[in-house]
Structures are given as structure tokens and as C-alpha cells.
Amino acid sequence: MDIRAARPIDRYFASYSNDHRNETNQAVHVVAVPAILWSAVALLWCLPPLITWFQNGIWAALAMFAAWMFYNRLSRPLGLGMLAIFFVFACSCRLLEAELGLRSLMWLALGVFVLAWIAQFVGHRIEGRRPSFLTDLVYLLIGPVWVLAKLYRHLGWRY
């Protein structure tokens, strides 16, 4: 297939996959990328709203909506999958906030964020390649959907 004629999502995946050939690095990404995404959502969840009639989570909701619009434009099936993931992430943040409190949620999210990024850089050290986002920040958004696409392929689903 001519990569120039491919859909944008296929071009992103081809470039991203080129930086993620090592099986160990791929396995690290399958765990660490969703952890980073959840922790980023949770950290945004903890930011206080500027207007008092908004609740905690408004910043996370806005960020998830913006990311979902990006994913949905690239691929509707992957957009639907990311919508489901964002729903689960929002529910988990709300439940953890209710159980642990906002401050504990923030510390948990920060810990997950730091540990998952350390794992990512260890994976790239093993790979011997720089992370894709160091060449283009859009790859910070491509990582989660790349992991989801791996799941879709495993299940035999088209995207």
C-alpha cells in the first residue's frame, strides 16, 4: 500500500510503529500508555473549576472531549472505543474521588503518571529509539489510539 494514499490514521500508525518495533517496548506501551492517559485525566480531574457551579472533573471532561473529537475524525470505530475508555476513566475518577478524596486521587494519579513515564523511557531505552512525541507532539495523542488499535486487531475488529 502506498503510504501517501493511506488514511491519516494509517500514516500516524506507520510512523509510530516504526519507533516501536521491539516486543518488550510494545508490551511496556500496552500497559504504560493507558496508565499515562488515565493519570492525565485524573490530574485534570483534580484541577479546581474556575466557576463555582462547575464540579471537579470539568477540565478532564473538556480535555477528553477535545481528544475524542481528534480520534473520531481519524477513525469512527476507534473514536467510539476511545469514548468508552474516557467514560470508564471519568467514572473511575469520580469513584476514587468519592472513596479517597480529591487530594489522594491527585497523589495517586501523580504516582501513576511518574511510574508510567519511567516505564516508557525504559522501554525506549531497550528499543534504542527516541519516543515519537519528541519529533511531533501529536504522537502523545496517537499512543493511546495505537494501543487500542492493537486490541481491535487482536479481536478482529476493523478500524
Side-chain angles (χ1 to χ4, degrees):
M1 168 174 40
D2 181 8
I3 195 68
R4 291 170 295 172
R7 301 176 300 168
I9 189 74
D10 296 320
R11 289 193 302 268
Y12 282 129
F13 285 170
S15 176
Y16 195 86
S17 294
N18 191 44
D19 292 333
H20 301 85
R21 296 181 193 165
N22 181 279
E23 288 184 27
T24 301
N25 190 27
Q26 287 183 28
V28 167
H29 277 60
V30 165
V31 174
V33 167
I36 290 168
L37 182 59
W38 175 82
S39 63
V41 168
L43 288 168
L44 288 170
W45 190 276
C46 295
L47 290 177
L50 295 177
I51 301 171
T52 56
W53 46 272
F54 282 126
Q55 293 186 3
N56 283 75
I58 186 66
W59 300 116
L62 291 172
M64 287 185 289
F65 181 72
W68 172 79
M69 287 185 354
F70 174 74
Y71 296 135
N72 200 53
R73 279 190 66 216
L74 290 175
S75 162
R76 288 198 196 254
L78 289 171
L80 288 173
M82 290 305 296
L83 184 63
I85 289 167
F86 286 145
F87 177 77
V88 170
F89 284 3
C91 288
S92 71
C93 287
R94 179 64 192 106
L95 289 172
L96 287 168
E97 177 189 1
E99 280 297 311
L100 305 174
L102 203 57
R103 185 179 201 91
S104 294
L105 174 60
M106 181 194 67
W107 285 110
L108 174 64
L110 190 59
V112 169
F113 189 82
V114 169
L115 290 174
W117 271 112
I118 290 170
Q120 288 284 85
F121 283 106
V122 168
H124 276 284
R125 179 77 171 171
I126 293 167
E127 175 89 36
R129 293 180 181 271
R130 292 170 25 137
S132 298
F133 75 87
L134 292 177
T135 58
D136 188 345
L137 289 178
V138 76
Y139 286 103
L140 288 171
L141 287 171
I142 296 301
V145 78
W146 180 80
V147 171
L148 182 61
K150 286 177 83 66
L151 175 63
Y152 276 33
R153 285 190 296 277
H154 179 74
L155 296 173
W157 296 356
R158 296 179 60 115
Y159 63 85

